[in-house]
Amino acid sequence: MSHVFSDGGFLPTVGFNGYKTYAKLTEIKNLAKTWVLIDEHPDGLNDGDFCNEMTLAGATTGFIVDTPASFHGGAGGLSFADGHSEIHKWKGGDTRVPVTGNYVTKRYTKEAASIDDLVWLSDNTTVKR
């Protein structure tokens, strides 16, 4: 489940309370661009929600808190608050990592394709307050 439905602790890029978290469906600003469930990489399973730090377009580095799964030919499934779902193809090597059985989470990337993945994920996570 998306961490925007919990405390949202990894959402801000600078400071805290920069992005919305939600307690009710009626609070969501853009249902079609707010993912609720995601396939998470099995080597990163550690709790009940999937965290991603918000990464803005033009960023040169990104912080991967939890890694999405890429079971479907380099892609992973997401379901959105409006009820639709999609399989999203991840582009970067840091977002399309093989399953090794070794726990991995919270890592920085400078790889452009992975940053693009993080920007897409951020654009579909929540909105600024």
Side-chain angles (χ1 to χ4, degrees), residues 23-77:
K24 299 177 183 178
L25 183 65
T26 56
E27 296 173 349
I28 300 173
K29 299 295 182 189
N30 189 342
L31 296 170
K33 289 187 62 85
T34 303
W35 67 268
V36 178
L37 299 172
I38 189 170
D39 286 338
E40 185 170 350
H41 195 286
D43 291 346
L45 293 174
N46 61 348
D47 57 18
D49 63 355
F50 182 99
C51 296
N52 60 286
E53 184 179 55
M54 299 300 281
T55 305
L56 303 176
T60 56
T61 63
F63 185 61
I64 298 171
V65 181
D66 290 321
T67 304
S70 53
F71 300 132
H72 310 285

